[in-house]
Amino acid sequence: MPTRNRGKSTVGGDGGQGEDEATEDDDGKEGAARDRANLREHAMEMTARNLHPASKTESSNCDGAINRNGGDTTEVTVPLSKLGKRLVPIERDNLYRLRDRKFLLEDKRRLCAWALGTALLGILLMILHTELCPVIYPPSSIYALIINCLMSMSTGCLLILILTYHYKDIRLFTIDHNQVDWRIAMTSQRVLGISLELVVCAIHPIATYWGPEIGSAGLAAGGAKADQAEGNWSSPPLCSSGRSEGGLPDPLPLLSCLMFLRLYLVHRAVLLHSKVLLSASYRSIGSLNNINFTFRFVLKVLMNKYPGRTLLVFIIFFWLSTSWLLTVCERQTQEETGRMLTALWLIAITFLTVGYGDVSPKTFCGKAVCLLTGVMGVACTAMLVAVVTKRLALNKGEKHVHYFMMDIQISKRIRHAAANVLRECWLLHRANIGKLGHGAHRRHQRSLLEAVRKFRNLRLKQRKLRDYASEMVDLPKMQMIMCDLSANWNNSYRELEQRIISMEQKLDELGRCLNHTSELLAQAMYRYSPDDRHANTISAPLKC
């Protein structure tokens, strides 16, 4: 019985052990599966690290804070691209940035050209409408409506082009400064500049040309046609909208004049299309010399390269534009200055600061235009004087030739003056020897003093000419000469050093040779001394 129970218990124990072993096998399989899953996750993580070398198991919040998975690393990296976007190596990223920068510069240049063309189109439409209405067509006609709509459409296109240009400029700023958020570029100065540009480009004559209230304009047009039929060629009236009530002035002339503010786009187009900015050599040398390529620098280059053409184009354009603005301002009162020929004459004499006084503006707008013309006339006159002076001035070679020939001529005159002094001295000496009268003696003395005075004046003139010529020495040439002299001195100094070193080496060799010679002499004297010879004679018979 006990044996049986023991056997049963043994069997039961074996069964429990089998169940435990099965449970351990299941746990081992689950552990192996977990290990394989961990290995797969680790492999995927290593692959992700290889694909994203700049992230390094970091994640950034939208606020810019960095959460680390492991605290044992000390490297902090901020990914510049969005999550899930494939990052490229640094070299390829720089190449892509350079390519994007080139494309953005080309887009800016193209947008600036289109914006300037649209602005000029709006100004031409405004001038066309102002000159044709109400002489050719009444304000309520379909032609006036079409021109007004085209002017508004061109203004809208201009505003869109300005916004697109500044969008490209902001993108270029983010690329140049390696930024991601475009709001960093929106400084208060930039926002103010964009707002001011939009306000300036949005100004244009806005009026409704369809309505029954056109009596005043129609009467004005009829009066103008009647005056022209009678032969009284006065200035045509303005195309009024019929809405200026209560004694208020018509805003049409002011809005028409303010449309010329769109010409500020000219300086931007000149800067972006200039050869100075397009040339890579200009940009590289300018960056090395810390020069900013602005419109001022481009204008200086143009004035130094093409001074006559630049001034001529600016003066003609300014003359015509201000004359037309003066006619628009003076048409309100139907004055004589409202005609184009009279306005051209008044602008010309004001620009040249002559001011005959035969014609003068009557309105505040006309006086402001004449004041601006006078200021620009003074500035252009100063630039014209500088250009003419530069053209008339001698260059360095011409100055050297001119002063050299003047020096030769003065030297000849000095020799003649010295000969005259010697002649007068000889004549005075003959007068003293011949015992002539006091009158002849005084006459020869006066001639001698006059010759001495001329000689001294010529010597002083030559000294001044040489002093002035010595001031005109070419400093770069002198600098080159001094550089050559210093280079020759350095070369001679190096040659002298090499010769001294070679002499020292030869002296060392000579000293070693003398030491060796003295040693050889000492050995020879020791070998052939008398004591040695006596010892040799004594030992010779013994050996035999």
Side-chain angles (χ1 to χ4, degrees):
M1 291 296 292
T3 307
R4 232 180 257 156
N5 291 331
R6 192 181 297 114
K8 287 181 181 179
S9 63
T10 304
V11 172
D14 293 336
Q17 186 176 3
E19 291 176 359
D20 294 335
E21 290 176 359
T23 304
E24 289 176 1
D25 292 335
D26 294 334
D27 293 335
K29 291 179 181 179
E30 291 177 1
R34 283 196 300 271
D35 292 336
R36 286 194 295 272
N38 291 331
L39 287 174
R40 283 196 298 269
E41 290 178 0
H42 184 67
M44 291 174 66
E45 185 179 358
M46 293 299 294
T47 306
R49 287 183 181 179
N50 293 328
L51 289 176
H52 304 277
S55 59
K56 289 192 178 180
T57 68
E58 295 174 359
S59 62
S60 65
N61 303 329
C62 58
D63 297 332
I66 299 173
N67 299 327
R68 295 185 178 275
N69 294 331
D72 52 347
T73 178
T74 59
E75 185 177 359
V76 179
T77 58
V78 180
L80 297 179
S81 62
K82 296 181 180 179
L83 295 176
K85 202 172 184 179
R86 184 175 180 270
L87 295 177
V88 296
I90 297 176
E91 294 81 4
R92 296 170 63 184
D93 192 9
N94 291 332
L95 292 176
Y96 291 154
R97 285 174 54 198
L98 291 174
R99 183 193 63 184
D100 294 341
R101 190 178 187 278
K102 179 182 177 181
F103 291 158
L104 286 173
L105 284 174
E106 292 178 356
D107 293 341
K108 282 181 61 178
R109 194 177 301 115
R110 195 179 304 112
L111 287 170
C112 184
W114 278 101
L116 180 60
T118 308
L120 292 176
L121 177 62
I123 293 173
L124 290 177
L125 289 173
M126 181 268 297
I127 294 174
L128 183 66
H129 177 67
T130 305
E131 294 296 329
L132 297 181
C133 177
V135 178
I136 304 300
Y137 54 82
S140 59
S141 64
I142 190 65
Y143 302 107
L145 180 61
I146 290 173
I147 293 179
N148 189 36
C149 291
L150 289 176
M151 198 185 306
S152 300
M153 289 174 61
S154 66
T155 303
C157 294
L158 179 60
L159 295 177
I160 294 173
L161 290 172
I162 292 295
L163 289 174
T164 310
Y165 174 82
H166 285 287
Y167 169 71
K168 299 290 185 181
D169 193 15
I170 291 170
R171 284 190 58 191
L172 185 62
F173 177 84
T174 56
I175 289 177
D176 289 339
H177 294 81
N178 198 11
Q179 299 294 333
V180 179
D181 194 358
W182 60 272
R183 289 171 292 185
I184 298 175
M186 299 302 294
T187 59
S188 58
Q189 185 178 1
R190 186 185 290 271
V191 172
L192 182 61
I194 295 174
S195 304
L196 186 61
E197 284 191 30
L198 294 177
V199 170
V200 168
C201 294
I203 295 174
H204 68 285
I206 303 174
T208 55
Y209 298 104
W210 60 88
E213 61 277 10
I214 56 173
S216 60
L219 291 174
K225 291 180 180 179
D227 292 339
Q228 292 176 6
E230 293 175 1
N232 184 15
W233 293 92
S234 62
S235 60
L238 289 173
C239 185
S240 176
S241 61
R243 294 186 179 275
S244 58
E245 299 177 356
L248 295 176
D250 193 4
L252 180 63
L254 180 61
L255 295 176
S256 300
C257 294
L258 290 178
M259 279 194 71
F260 279 88
L261 294 177
R262 298 182 180 184
L263 295 177
Y264 79 94
L265 294 170
V266 173
H267 88 279
R268 186 179 293 171
V270 170
L271 175 62
L272 292 177
H273 291 83
S274 63
K275 295 181 179 179
V276 175
L277 193 65
L278 297 177
S279 177
S281 58
Y282 262 104
R283 291 199 303 270
S284 58
I285 296 174
S287 61
L288 291 175
N289 291 278
N290 296 325
I291 294 176
N292 295 324
F293 290 96
T294 57
F295 177 71
R296 184 183 301 175
F297 177 73
V298 175
L299 183 61
K300 289 179 182 179
V301 171
L302 289 176
M303 286 298 297
N304 281 278
K305 231 177 155 180
Y306 312 106
R309 300 178 193 175
T310 307
L311 279 177
L312 183 63
V313 170
F314 176 76
I315 289 173
I316 291 176
F317 178 77
F318 184 79
W319 181 37
L320 295 176
S321 60
T322 50
S323 300
W324 187 84
L325 289 176
L326 183 61
T327 58
V328 172
C329 293
E330 295 294 317
R331 283 179 193 177
Q332 301 179 21
T333 57
Q334 294 293 320
E335 295 291 340
E336 185 183 2
T337 51
R339 291 180 294 180
M340 190 65 183
L341 293 177
T342 308
L344 287 171
W345 169 251
L346 179 58
I347 291 298
I349 61 177
T350 307
F351 187 84
L352 297 174
T353 64
V354 177
Y356 292 109
D358 54 346
V359 186
S360 60
K362 301 299 186 296
T363 60
F364 290 104
C365 180
K367 292 177 181 178
V369 171
C370 289
L371 179 62
L372 177 64
T373 303
V375 173
M376 295 303 297
V378 172
C380 290
T381 303
M383 289 190 289
L384 186 62
V385 169
V387 170
V388 172
T389 305
K390 185 178 179 181
R391 291 295 181 183
L392 293 178
L394 299 174
N395 56 21
K396 293 180 181 179
E398 293 172 348
K399 285 180 181 178
H400 287 306
V401 171
H402 176 65
Y403 291 131
F404 182 74
M405 294 305 298
M406 287 182 66
D407 192 11
I408 290 176
Q409 293 175 2
I410 291 175
S411 300
K412 289 181 180 179
R413 293 173 63 185
I414 287 174
R415 287 197 296 269
H416 288 298
N420 290 331
V421 170
L422 293 175
R423 185 188 65 183
E424 295 299 332
C425 288
W426 171 249
L427 291 176
L428 181 61
H429 178 68
R430 284 186 60 185
N432 292 329
I433 293 175
K435 296 181 181 181
L436 298 177
H438 295 287
H441 187 74
R442 285 193 295 268
R443 186 174 65 254
H444 287 298
Q445 283 183 347
R446 283 195 296 268
S447 299
L448 178 60
L449 291 176
E450 183 67 20
V452 171
R453 186 186 64 81
K454 289 183 179 180
F455 179 76
R456 288 179 178 177
N457 289 335
L458 290 174
R459 289 293 301 271
L460 181 62
K461 190 174 181 180
Q462 186 184 27
R463 190 179 298 113
K464 289 182 179 179
L465 180 63
R466 290 182 177 178
D467 291 340
Y468 186 72
S470 63
E471 292 178 358
M472 303 301 298
V473 176
D474 194 358
L475 294 179
K477 187 175 180 180
M478 291 296 297
Q479 185 178 4
M480 292 177 62
I481 292 172
M482 294 300 295
C483 290
D484 293 337
L485 289 175
S486 62
N488 293 330
W489 290 341
N490 291 329
N491 293 330
S492 61
Y493 178 72
R494 293 193 190 95
E495 291 178 358
L496 183 61
E497 283 186 344
Q498 291 178 358
R499 290 181 179 180
I500 291 173
I501 291 171
S502 62
M503 288 178 66
E504 289 179 353
Q505 293 176 355
K506 291 180 179 179
L507 288 174
D508 293 337
E509 292 179 359
L510 184 60
R512 287 195 296 272
C513 291
L514 290 175
N515 293 330
H516 184 64
T517 305
S518 62
E519 290 178 357
L520 292 176
L521 289 174
Q523 291 178 3
M525 290 175 66
Y526 180 75
R527 184 180 302 171
Y528 296 101
S529 61
D531 297 335
D532 293 340
R533 287 197 299 270
H534 182 68
N536 291 330
T537 54
I538 293 173
S539 58
L542 292 176
K543 288 181 181 179
C544 295

